């Protein structure tokens, strides 16, 4: 016989912060999906043009690279809100359950620091690229806005993880109810 386990009750108050961030997550995930679909379209058109008409799509490689940057960095804040990062639980499974909130807190602090540093360095790289007037090789598009875009989304991701820390959210962004007593 299987035993039915009741799901922990969640109050409206517990779900409110998560629901407030949901539109941001959905918008960024939607943009990322649209960019991924565009990247697929570029690849399909390029392959069909290359193999059937001996005429590849001009600039397809650069378009794919730029779209890939867009897919990755627009999905990053959504992944951060879901705590969807790839993890390896080789050692943490052996730790006592009471250590989980501490571990989640520490991992988020490290994540905030890492994303902050990456965003800062990308911003500096964008300024450097802008000062050189750097453009892509084939399409001749300016590259600095791409670096600024990635930097901004890294900083946004760090801020969203900070919100999860401040709200004391469990893994997956669920907010823990306040302790009674």
């Amino acid at each position: 016989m299987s035993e039915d386990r009741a799901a922990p009750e969640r109050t409206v108050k517990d779900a409110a912060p998560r629901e407030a961030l949901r539109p941001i997550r959905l918008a960024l995930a939607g943009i990322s999906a649209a960019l991924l679909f565009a990247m697929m379209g570029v690849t399909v058109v390029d392959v069909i043009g290359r193999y059937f008409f001996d005429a590849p799509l001009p600039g397809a490689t650069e378009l794919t690279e730029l779209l890939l940057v867009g897919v990755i960095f627009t999905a990053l804040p959504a992944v951060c809100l879901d705590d969807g990062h790839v993890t390896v639980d080789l050692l943490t499974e052996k730790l006592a359950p009471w250590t989980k909130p501490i571990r989640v807190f520490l991992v988020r602090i490290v994540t905030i620091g890492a994303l902050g540093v990456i965003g800062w360095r990308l911003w500096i790289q964008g300024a450097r690229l802008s000062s050189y007037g750097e453009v892509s090789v084939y399409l001749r598009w300016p590259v600095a806005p791409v670096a600024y875009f990635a930097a901004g989304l890294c900083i946004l991701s760090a801020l969203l993880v900070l919100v999860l820390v401040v709200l004391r959210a469990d893994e997956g962004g669920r907010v823990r109810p306040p302790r009674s007593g």
Side-chain angles (χ1 to χ4, degrees):
M1 285 187 158
S2 66
E3 190 177 307
D4 290 333
R5 294 184 185 186
E9 289 186 33
R10 289 193 188 129
T11 64
V12 175
K13 182 180 176 185
D14 298 337
R18 184 172 170 80
E19 289 301 313
L21 296 173
R22 189 167 189 230
I24 295 169
R25 187 203 159 286
L26 289 176
L28 290 167
I31 292 168
S32 185
L35 292 171
L36 184 61
F37 190 76
M39 189 167 62
M40 179 192 68
V42 167
T43 304
V44 167
V45 169
D46 184 48
V47 168
I48 289 172
R50 181 180 315 271
Y51 291 106
F52 293 110
F53 303 109
D54 198 26
L57 181 66
T61 302
E62 286 183 5
L63 279 172
T64 301
E65 290 169 352
L66 294 171
L67 287 168
L68 185 59
V69 169
V71 168
I72 291 168
F73 284 97
T74 55
L76 184 60
V79 170
C80 287
L81 282 173
D82 287 344
D83 280 322
H85 302 289
V86 175
T87 58
V88 179
D89 294 336
L90 295 176
L91 300 174
T92 56
E93 288 179 350
K94 297 179 184 352
L95 295 174
W98 63 266
T99 64
K100 187 174 183 177
I102 297 166
R103 193 176 69 241
V104 169
F105 173 79
L106 292 174
V107 167
R108 285 185 177 154
I109 295 299
V110 170
T111 301
I112 291 166
L115 289 170
V117 168
I118 292 168
W120 165 59
R121 296 307 303 170
L122 279 169
W123 192 269
I124 289 171
Q125 182 65 18
R128 189 174 296 140
L129 292 169
S130 181
S131 72
Y132 299 154
E134 187 73 25
V135 294
S136 63
V137 175
Y138 188 83
L139 297 172
R140 311 296 300 160
W141 288 354
V143 180
V146 177
Y148 288 134
F149 172 78
L153 287 169
C154 271
I155 299 299
L156 174 63
S157 298
L159 292 173
L160 290 173
V161 174
L162 179 62
V163 167
L164 293 178
V165 168
V166 169
L167 294 176
R168 298 173 35 111
D170 285 334
E171 278 186 310
R174 292 175 302 280
V175 177
R176 284 180 280 180
R179 292 181 186 173
S180 60

